């Protein structure tokens, strides 16, 4: 018996591993393998054939023999070096033996139940079968690995050296062999191996090696492209995991493959689903789902690719195993709260698959059915909630899932309108991909709606009303019938209505309703209720779709091409279902043919073809005619572009052209004149690309276009003139030769008054253009028309001919009132339009001359007779070129052209017809007072003036001032609009003349009229975008229009800046600082300013420009002190997109904006910048950002503290200033007092009591000492709190207040004051100084001075001053006064004491209101006593005051 075979890790390990099996027995190993690469080709061939013969001739177990095992090992080890034929022989021998061995295993299981017939023990036979199975599987899998590795590395190219025939290296079909081998290994693993390996299961090494090979092959994308090989690999995975219970190992390996290789996702999901179906065991799928659910959501944020692959795997698994996934989806729901939007997207897809497939069956009891319905409802609610996900990708994915559910008919009618409402709201999402998904979802809803092919709200309302009446009648008549009807099968449908859109009664009833929209008689009450409910739902859905039309019209103007394309598709679908408003909305797409985006143009063209041309010729013609009739001027231009393009492409057939001619010629019954005009207009559009279309009906155009129908349809004549201009050259010649009444009809159209004004101007415009296109001498015919028009206007004045033109200049303005303003306006229009067409005619003629000249030169060069003549001519041409003869001709042509242009308006020529009208027109336009009375004449006159200015530069320069005066001051907005448009034409023709007036052109952007502003935006946009005018410093006016109250103007301004940003290196980048500066000075609303700057900054995309803007904006802080400008600049900084360099520049410029951080609004803007930078910053940059944030906050707090300190200092300074003023006033008063006291001291009675004087002198010395101490304290101890000596000061104040003479009070009457003055000194009583002192509040009354009034005055002046402020100054003042009084003579001691006490009282009165009140009361009390005549009477009160002070 051969030793057992033990699976090694790799093939080469068989040579190195000498260990036995798990039980310690020796294992089968190769001994002395043969070096196959060293054999000659013949020997190698013979060796392989011998080995193959042994495998096929001997029994299956011969592979256990050592010789055979060695040979096979040697060949497998060097398999890649074998020729293809030998490879095929070896592989086929091994595969065939294994395929025969597998059935023997089954037979062995039957033989084990009976006694062996050949005498070999059953255990040995089992061991041999086990060994053979393992050896064959090992060698076949090793061959597969070796072949695939060689194919990847390309080493198989060396094989050709051994081949005798020049066969291709891989001539044999390895893919087929590989598929057979893998399926054979899968069969072996799926077989019942319990007998071979025992109840414990198959050999771990065997299963591990097979799994390893499978996963290695799964990593090769080319291997998975082969279906047979892929199926074999999937079977192996399923068998190992399910059959052999290796769930955990397999799930880990599968998840590893899913994370690393995206191309394995679908195949692995297929393998898991196949295992569940084959073995009826979903353990592997459940394990994978739970493993995904247990994963930390943050891991998926770090591994975005892995998250994407895992999500796709879950969706694929839910698609293949919906029921199993529905029972385990709960472990995945928490991932909705994760940060990875890819996982959320996948979970949304999983729920969509489950809602569509997991609940379709109706097996089971009612409880199970209700559980499934609740589960489905919960899933749908989650999907509704995810429509508001933070990620645009998830919102988009949710809408896509809803569209899939709609296609699967998995949305109930009860939920239909709710979902439609959510999708409608997503049309205004800020993300383009969400809007795209919403549009596509709504298209799908319309396609699969359960309410019928027509969604007209009026039809639903009428039908619903009838059913409502019938239902009410039915319910009132037979309430019992409703109970009996509960057993009707319809009840089951109503119950299952939440499960599917398809309702058994809805299609039939709706079809009947469509066939007979009035009413369908339904007898069953429940069925009638169901129909009523369905009609209500249909009406709500129709209303929802109808309400979307304004939003869809806005989306047609979106900058996103996908928005426009899908909106057009949705509008087409709405039109198909006859939704109200869809037809009008579709017409809004016509101007999109001018879009530069090719996809948008193609979408519009395709929609136009599908709507209007995919019909019969007659229907197509009728639809185009109706479209033309209802179009605006802009839509007509777009329609012309489309029709001419379709004619070139052959999309419009000749049969349709014939139908259009039938409509024009009234060959169809019931044709109206307006349809006739519409048909001719469409034909003119087609003639733009194919002029020959009009040639066959020239006479019809003249007869019908200028015949009697022109009066019924005024625009018919204008269209006929346009058709004449579109004729080909051959048809023009033919028309002139056959028809004689063409020009008479054109002249009659211009000079007659049959057409109304609004129609006449347009018809005359085309008529004069047709004359200059068709007539051989248009200037002569135009002169006749001008003369006739002139005579029709001024013929009533008794003058005739062109002579009127000369006299008009000198006529009085009263003439205007004698003629018809309508005729004069038309005459001016005719004259100006003829002049303009004549200018075009001159330029066209010059081009023809140049073209003919070039043609002649080419013909001369091609008609040379001989080389000699050719050389002579070439020499002659060279001589002419040197002499400048060729240039002279061109100069002459240009000279005559310029002369002809000047003669159009110039008055110098006597025969100039229009030149005579120029001065009159100029004078008329200058008479603004007159023209304001006639608005129509004013418009015509200014339009004519502008046209003549366009023609001649001198005339333009002479009338520019009146033009700008009118454009600014004219009361009519029509006049201002026309002049604004004319300014654009003048700027193109005479840029140098208009350059000084640029500011006035920009000023039109601020006009009060919306139409003027709109035209100004259009004109300036045209001039700037076409490089006809430089972007001046007034571009801020255009920026303001971004927030114009008129939405149309705002859109045009935004379009201008959008297009401007595409030019060069984005001029907006250079203009932005100047715009910012000017907008800051315009006092705009804050919201308006922010919206403007946000839009402008959003148009800057380059990082370098953003970084440079950081520098520029930071530098603007340096020279600005206005807080509002700080806020604006910081807001602009917050709108920038900061890169790492930009952030560093911001930090480097900190000193520039440091002073502005004191404002809270500025700080908030910088904090928003910091928050924005933190989101995507790297760790090292984050630290820098946090440091910058701390620095900004710190500076802000410091600035706030400095501001508070500065405010307090300013308030303190104001208080000190007011105090200084008061003290200064007192010093002036004190000087007056001193002078008065000196006079008073001379008349004091010498009989004063000496004791009293001594006491008063002692008190005076005490006061003086106190002042001296205060002075010393001030000089020596500045840091001492001045409030420490408050008690002493209070005592002095009290003494001074009580010692004051109560006989005098400044609040008393003037009489008392005068009496007191007379008692003190009669010689001074009448002095004028006393009066002045009385007015100032400071009185000197001899020896006694009352301080009460002074205290009150000081209190009023300093009531807001801090009592403790500048105490040192007060002390110094007291000290100065005290020392001065001390130096006085002894005879003035009493007076000095009184003054010192008075001064002290004045200073301290602001601190001690209590003492002031006490002094006032004392003074008021003593005023009632008689005034003493002797100074000695004053002493006793002074002594009482001293004693009371001491007692205190």
């Amino acid at each position: 018996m051969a030793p057992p075979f033990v699976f090694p890790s790799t093939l080469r390990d068989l040579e190195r591993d000498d260990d036995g099996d798990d039980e310690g027995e020796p294992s089968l190993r190769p001994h002395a393998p043969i070096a196959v690469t060293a054999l000659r080709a013949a020997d190698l061939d013979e060796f392989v054939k011998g080995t193959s013969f042994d495998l096929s001739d001997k029994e299956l177990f011969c592979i256990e023999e050592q010789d055979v095992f060695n040979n096979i090992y040697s060949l497998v080890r060097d398999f890649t070096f074998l020729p293809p034929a030998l490879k095929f022989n070896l592989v086929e021998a091994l595969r065939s033996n294994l395929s025969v061995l597998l059935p023997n295993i089954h037979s062995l299981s039957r033989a084990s139940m009976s006694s062996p017939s050949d005498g070999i023990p059953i255990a040995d036979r089992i061991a041999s079968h086990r060994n053979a199975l393992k050896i064959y599987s090992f060698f076949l899998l090793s061959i597969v690995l070796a072949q695939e590795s060689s194919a990847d590395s390309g080493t198989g190219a060396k094989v050709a050296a051994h081949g005798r025939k020049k066969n291709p290296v891989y001539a044999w079909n390895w893919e087929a062999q590989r598929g057979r081998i893998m399926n054979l290994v899968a069969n072996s693993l799926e077989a019942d191996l319990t007998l071979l390996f025992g109840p414990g299961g198959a050999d771990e090494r065997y299963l591990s090696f097979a799994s390893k090979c499978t996963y290695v092959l799964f990593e090769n994308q080319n291997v998975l492209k082969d279906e047979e090989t892929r199926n074999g690999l999937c079977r192996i995975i399923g068998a190992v995991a399910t059959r052999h219970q290796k769930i955990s190992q397999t799930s880990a390996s599968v998840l590893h493959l899913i994370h690393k290789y995206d191309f394995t996702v679908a195949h692995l999901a297929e393998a898991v689903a196949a295992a569940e179906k084959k073995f009826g065991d979903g353990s592997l799928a459940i394990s994978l789902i739970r493993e995904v659910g247990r994963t930390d959501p943050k891991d998926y944020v770090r591994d975005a690719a892995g998250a994407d692959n895992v999500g796709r795997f879950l969706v694929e698994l839910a698609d293949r195993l919906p029921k199993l996934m529905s029972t385990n989806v709960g472990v995945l729901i928490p991932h909705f709260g994760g940060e990875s939007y890819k996982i959320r997207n996948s979970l949304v897809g999983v729920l969509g698959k489950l809602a569509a497939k997991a609940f379709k069956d109706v097996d089971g009891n009612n409880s199970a059915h209700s559980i499934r319905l609740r589960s489905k409802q919960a899933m749908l609610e989650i999907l509704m909630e995810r429509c508001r996900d933070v990620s645009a990708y998830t919102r988009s994915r949710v809408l896509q899932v809803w569209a899939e559910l709609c296609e699967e008919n998995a949305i109930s009618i009860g939920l239909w309108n709710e979902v439609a409402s959510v999708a409608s709201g997503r049309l205004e999402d800020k993300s383009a991909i969400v809007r795209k998904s919403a549009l596509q979802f709504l298209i799908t809803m319309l396609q699969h709606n359960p309410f019928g092919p027509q969604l007209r709200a009026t039809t639903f309302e009428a039908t619903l009303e009838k059913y409502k009446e019938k239902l009410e009648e039915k319910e009132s008549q037979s309430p019992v019938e409703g109970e009996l009807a509960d057993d009707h099968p319809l009840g089951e449908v109503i119950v299952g209505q939440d499960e599917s859109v398809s309702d058994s009664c809805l299609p039939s009833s709706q079809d009947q309703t469509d066939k007979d929209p009035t009413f369908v008689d339904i007898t069953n009450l429940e069925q009638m209720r169901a129909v009523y409910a369905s009609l209500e739902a249909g009406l709500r859905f129709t209303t929802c779709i109808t309400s979307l039309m304004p939003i869809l019209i806005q989306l047609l103007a979106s900058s996103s091409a996908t928005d426009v394309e899908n909106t057009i598709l949705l509008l087409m679908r709405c039109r198909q279902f006859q939704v109200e408003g869809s037809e009008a909305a579709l017409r809004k797409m016509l101007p999109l043919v001018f879009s530069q985006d090719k996809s948008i143009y193609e979408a519009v063209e395709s929609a136009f073809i599908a709507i209007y041309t995919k019909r019969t010729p007659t229907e197509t013609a009728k639809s185009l005619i109706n479209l033309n009739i209802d179009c605006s001027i802009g839509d007509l231009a777009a329609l012309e572009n489309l029709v001419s393009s379709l004619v070139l492409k052959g999309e419009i057939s000749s049969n349709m052209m014939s139908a259009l001619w039938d409509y024009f010629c009234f060959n169809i019954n019931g044709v109206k004149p307006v349809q006739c005009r519409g048909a001719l207009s469409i034909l003119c559009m087609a003639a733009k690309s194919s002029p020959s279309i009009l040639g066959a009906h020239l006479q019809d155009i003249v007869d019908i276009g200028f015949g009697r129908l022109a009066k019924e349809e005024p625009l018919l004549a204008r269209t006929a003139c346009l058709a004449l201009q579109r004729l080909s050259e051959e048809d023009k010649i033919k028309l002139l030769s056959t028809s004689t009444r063409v020009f008479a009809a054109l002249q009659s159209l211009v000079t007659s008054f049959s057409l109304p004004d609004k129609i006449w101007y347009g018809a005359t415009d085309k008529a004069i253009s047709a004359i200059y296109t068709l007539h051989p001498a248009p200037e002569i015919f135009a002169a006749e028309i001008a003369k006739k028009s002139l005579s029709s206007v001024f013929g009533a004045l008794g003058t005739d001919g062109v002579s009127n033109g000369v006299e008009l200049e000198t006529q009085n303005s009263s003439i205007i009132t004698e003629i018809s303003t309508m005729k004069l306006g038309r005459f001016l229009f005719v004259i100006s339009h003829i002049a303009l067409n004549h200018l075009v005619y001159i330029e066209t003629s010059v081009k023809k001359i140049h073209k003919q000249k070039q043609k002649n030169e080419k013909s001369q060069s091609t008609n040379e007779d001989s080389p000699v003549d050719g050389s002579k001519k070439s020499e002659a041409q060279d001589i002419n070129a040197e002499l400048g003869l060729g240039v002279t001709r061109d100069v002459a042509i240009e000279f005559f052209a310029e002369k002809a242009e000047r003669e159009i308006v110039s008055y110098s020529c006597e025969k100039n017809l229009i030149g005579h009208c120029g001065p009159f027109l100029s004078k008329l336009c200058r008479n603004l007072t007159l023209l304001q009375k006639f608005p129509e004449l004013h418009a015509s006159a200014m339009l004519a003036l502008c046209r003549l200015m366009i023609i001649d530069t001198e005339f333009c320069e002479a009338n520019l001032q009146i033009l700008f005066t009118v454009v600014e001051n004219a009361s009519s907005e029509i006049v201002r609009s026309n002049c604004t448009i004319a300014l654009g034409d003048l700027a193109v023709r005479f840029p140098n003349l208009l350059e000084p007036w640029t500011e006035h052109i920009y000023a039109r952007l601020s006009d009060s009229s919306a139409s003027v502003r709109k035209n100004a935006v259009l004109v300036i946009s045209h001039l700037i975008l076409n490089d006809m005018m430089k972007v001046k410093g007034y571009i801020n006016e255009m920026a303001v229009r971004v927030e114009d109250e008129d939405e149309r103007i705002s859109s045009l301004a935004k379009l201008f800046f959008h297009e401007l940003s595409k030019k060069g290196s984005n001029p907006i980048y250079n203009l932005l600082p100047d715009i910012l500066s000017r907008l800051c000075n315009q006092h705009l609303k804050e919201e308006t300013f922010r919206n403007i700057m946000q839009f402008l900054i959003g148009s800057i995309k380059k990082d370098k420009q953003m970084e440079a803007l950081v520098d520029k904006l930071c530098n603007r802080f340096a020279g600005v002190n206005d807080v509002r400008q700080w806020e604006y600049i910081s807001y602009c900084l917050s709108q920038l997109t900061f890169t790492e360099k930009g952030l560093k520049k911001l930090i480097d410029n900190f000193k520039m904006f440091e002073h502005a951080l004191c404002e809270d609004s500025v700080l908030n803007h910088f904090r928003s910048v910091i928050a924005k930078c933190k989101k995507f910053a790297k760790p090292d940059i984050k630290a820098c950002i946090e440091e910058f944030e701390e620095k900004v906050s710190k500076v802000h707090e410091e600035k706030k503290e400095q501001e508070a300190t500065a405010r307090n200092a300013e308030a303190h300074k104001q208080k000190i200033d007011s105090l200084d003023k008061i003290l200064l006033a007192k010093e002036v008063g004190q000087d007056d007092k001193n002078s008065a006291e000196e006079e008073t001291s001379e008349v004091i009675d010498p009989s004063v009591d000496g004791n009293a004087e001594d006491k008063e002198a002692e008190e005076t010395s005490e006061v003086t000492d106190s002042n001296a101490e205060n002075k010393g304290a001030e000089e020596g101890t500045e840091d001492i709190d001045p409030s420490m000596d408050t008690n002493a000061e209070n005592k002095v104040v009290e003494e001074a207040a009580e010692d004051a003479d109560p006989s005098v009070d400044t609040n008393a009457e003037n009489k008392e004051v005068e009496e007191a003055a007379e008692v003190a000194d009669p010689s001074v009583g009448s002095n004028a100084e006393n009066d002045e002192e009385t007015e100032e509040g400071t009185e000197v009354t001899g020896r006694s001075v009352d301080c009460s009034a002074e205290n009150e005055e000081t209190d009023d002046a300093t009531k807001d001053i801090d009592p403790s402020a500048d105490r040192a100054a007060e002390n110094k003042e007291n000290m100065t006064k005290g020392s001065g009084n001390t130096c006085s003579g002894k005879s003035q001691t009493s007076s000095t004491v009184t003054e010192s006490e008075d001064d002290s009282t004045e200073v301290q009165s602001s601190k001690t209101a209590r003492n002031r009140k006490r002094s006032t009361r004392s003074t008021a009390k003593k005023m009632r006593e008689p005034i003493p005549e002797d100074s000695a009477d004053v002493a006793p009160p002074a002594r009482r005051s001293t004693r009371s002070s001491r007692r205190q």
Side-chain angles (χ1 to χ4, degrees), residues 96 110 206 273 465 563 568 599 650 668 705 709 805 845 901 928 1295:
S96 60
R110 292 191 299 270
Y206 170 42
E465 187 65 28
D563 285 350
I568 291 173
S599 60
I668 299 176
L709 292 176
S845 300
E901 291 177 4
L928 299 179
E1295 290 174 1

Side-chain angles (χ1 to χ4, degrees), residues 514-649:
D514 292 335
K515 294 177 183 177
D516 186 6
T518 57
F519 185 71
V520 177
D521 191 10
I522 300 176
T523 57
N524 187 280
L525 185 60
E526 288 299 326
Q527 190 175 6
M528 187 176 295
R529 288 173 178 169
V531 172
Y532 183 80
S534 68
L535 287 173
E536 279 189 329
L539 179 60
R540 288 197 300 272
F541 180 66
T542 302
T543 306
C544 177
I545 298 298
T546 305
S547 64
L548 294 179
M549 294 303 144
I551 300 176
L552 296 179
I553 292 174
Q554 291 180 0
L555 287 176
L556 286 174
S558 173
S559 58
S560 173
T562 56
D563 285 350
V564 179
E565 294 173 19
N566 288 284
T567 302
I568 291 173
L569 293 177
L570 178 57
L571 288 174
M572 291 178 63
R573 193 65 62 189
C574 291
R575 182 180 179 276
Q576 177 184 346
F577 284 89
Q578 301 180 11
V579 176
E580 297 175 357
S582 58
E583 191 78 31
L586 270 173
R587 291 180 183 173
K588 302 292 184 180
M589 76 174 182
L590 290 178
L592 295 176
V593 297
F594 301 112
S595 174
Q596 297 180 355
D597 195 322
K598 186 178 179 181
S599 60
I600 294 178
Y601 175 81
E602 291 176 351
V604 174
E605 189 179 61
S606 300
F608 185 83
I609 293 172
I611 295 173
Y612 297 106
T613 64
K614 295 297 182 182
R615 302 180 182 181
T616 62
T618 304
E619 292 177 349
T620 301
K622 185 176 181 180
S623 63
L624 289 177
I625 290 171
N626 293 335
L627 178 63
N628 177 272
I629 292 172
D630 298 333
C631 278
S632 62
I633 295 177
D635 293 340
L636 284 174
L639 181 61
E640 181 177 353
N641 189 307
L642 275 172
V643 171
S644 61
S645 175
L646 294 179
V647 169
L648 283 177
K649 296 179 180 179

Side-chain angles (χ1 to χ4, degrees), residues 909-959:
C909 182
E910 296 180 358
K911 296 183 178 180
N912 192 333
L913 176 63
I914 299 175
H916 289 305
C917 299
F920 164 74
L921 182 59
S922 179
K923 183 177 181 181
L924 177 64
C925 292
R926 293 177 189 275
N927 195 343
L928 299 179
T929 305
L930 174 66
L931 291 180
Q932 286 179 356
K933 301 178 183 178
F934 307 101
E936 294 82 3
L937 178 61
H938 194 185
S940 298
M942 289 307 304
L943 181 61
L945 180 69
C946 292
R947 285 177 170 175
L948 296 186
M949 289 172 67
I950 291 173
I951 296 172
D952 188 72
T953 178
E954 295 180 359
F955 190 80
C956 175
E957 187 175 6
N959 293 279

